[in-house]
Structure formats: structure tokens, C-alpha cells
């Protein structure tokens, strides 16, 4: 367990993974991280599909035209869906669950990447959400927010440079117009 601030500095999106499998206990703890995440009114509208089957990972990697190749490289992908009829904050709730999983993965020294599904489209124009619902049998009322890919890192990314954080986006006390 690295110091939490160090963990945030070192977390970068990883899109290439080795073939090494992930320890099943770590997979369980990554899912627990999602299940422990806070949600509006504690409705917990999310559900997760854990995919390790190579053929299915390859199929899911074609859910949209671009930026989904990390799914085919990963030994594990967790599809984050939520019941849109249960909560008007399903996107926020599902986002928090997704990020909790990414942070837990980082804590294990694993790499991860968020692959956006909602409002994205395949090369044939089909909504990526429909494609993923169809591939995995997810009911219609579930929005599919994203797919979190996880695996042992097969690429090096530089840590975030704390010297380069966008402090101009932070307003102390009241909004200051920074255009002037
Ligand atoms: C809402 C959201 C959607 C994203 N969608 C994708 C995606 O579809 N494919 C991808 O490879 N990365 C995706 N990313 C990862 C971003 O590209 C990445 O976080 C960003 O470039 C910053 O890099 P870093 O995570 O290494 O700091 C997404 C991230 C977020 C938060």
C-alpha cells in the first residue's frame, strides 16, 4: 500500500497489459471497492459484469470505433452498468464505483483504463451501449457507462507532475475571472 497521495500521482491510464492473470483475491477486492462506493440516497443502482473470457473481451473491444483497444489487451474488464429507472444520479454513482475500482487496482500495482461506452458509437453508427447490452444480455433499462480494463502493466507512463497541476482552475472564496 503506497501513501494515498503517491498513489494518485502514480495512477495513469494503462492501455497495454501483459498476459499474466490477475490474482483472484485481487479481482474480488477490486469488485468489493465498487460495492463499497457511495451512491445518491444509497440506492446503489449499479451492477457489474466481470469479463475474463478472451473471445468476449475481443468482442467488447469492437463496441466503438476508437479508443477501445485496451479491452482486447486486458485479462480483465469490468462493465459498469446502472439501472436508469432507479436513480437520476446513476451516472454519478456508476462513475464513482468505476474510479474506486481503478484506485484499488492501482493500489495492487495493476494498470487500468476507463473505456467510455455511454454516448459512444461503433463504426457502423450503432450506439456502443446497445452493442455491449446485446453482447452480455444486459437488460434495456440499464445504462452502460463504461468498461474498466485492468491488468499487469505492459507500458510505462510517467507519474503526474504535481508542479504542472492546473491551479488556475481553482477559485478561492469566490469565482475570479482568469481571462483578463
Ligand atoms: C469519462 C472518461 C472517459 C474516458 N474514455 C476513454 C476511452 O474511451 N478510451 C481510453 O483509452 N481512455 C479513456 N479515458 C482515459 C483518459 O483518456 C485519460 O484519463 C486521460 O487521457 C488522462 O490520462 P491519465 O488517466 O493517464 O492521467 C477516459 C477517461 C474518463 C475519465
Amino acid at each position: 500500500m503506497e501513501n494515498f497521495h503517491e498513489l494518485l500521482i502514480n495512477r495513469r491510464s494503462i492501455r497495454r497489459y501483459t498476459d499474466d492473470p490477475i490474482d483472484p483475491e485481487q479481482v474480488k477486492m477490486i469488485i468489493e471497492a465498487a460495492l463499497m462506493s457511495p451512491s445518491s440516497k444509497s440506492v446503489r443502482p449499479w451492477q457489474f459484469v466481470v469479463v475474463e473470457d478472451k473471445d468476449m473481451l475481443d468482442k467488447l473491444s469492437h463496441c466503438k470505433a476508437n479508443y477501445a483497444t485496451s479491452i482486447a489487451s486486458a485479462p480483465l474488464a469490468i462493465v459498469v452498468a446502472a439501472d436508469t429507472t432507479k436513480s437520476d444520479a446513476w451516472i454519478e454513482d456508476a462513475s464513482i464505483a468505476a474510479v474506486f475500482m481503478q484506485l484499488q487496482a492501482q493500489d495492487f500495482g495493476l494498470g487500468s483504463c476507463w473505456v467510455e461506452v455511454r454516448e459512444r458509437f461503433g463504426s457502423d453508427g450503432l450506439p456502443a451501449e446497445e452493442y455491449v447490452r446485446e453482447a452480455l444480455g444486459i437488460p434495456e433499462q440499464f445504462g452502460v457507462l463504461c468498461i474498466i480494463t485492468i491488468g499487469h502493466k505492459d507500458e510505462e507512463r510517467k507519474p503526474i507532475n504535481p508542479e504542472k497541476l492546473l491551479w488556475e482552475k481553482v477559485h478561492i472564496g469566490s469565482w475570479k475571472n482568469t481571462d483578463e
Side-chain angles (χ1 to χ4, degrees), residues 37-47 82-90 93:
S37 66
S39 66
S40 173
K41 300 175 187 167
S42 209
V43 166
R44 289 170 283 192
W46 22 247
Q47 299 209 21
D83 191 332
T84 61
T85 67
K86 290 255 166 69
S87 176
D88 58 2
W90 73 269
D93 295 343

Side-chain angles (χ1 to χ4, degrees), residues 8 11-15 64 66-70 95 99 102 112-117 120 145-147 149 157-158 160:
L8 296 178
R11 184 220 54 83
R12 299 299 312 278
S13 295
I14 297 296
R15 298 180 176 86
K64 61 176 185 170
N66 298 305
Y67 307 113
T69 50
S70 73
S95 298
V99 170
Q102 290 197 274
S112 76
C113 190
W114 176 308
V115 177
E116 184 77 355
V117 174
R120 297 292 182 266
L145 178 69
C146 65
I147 298 174
T149 59
R157 298 285 318 273
K158 278 193 186 146
I160 290 167

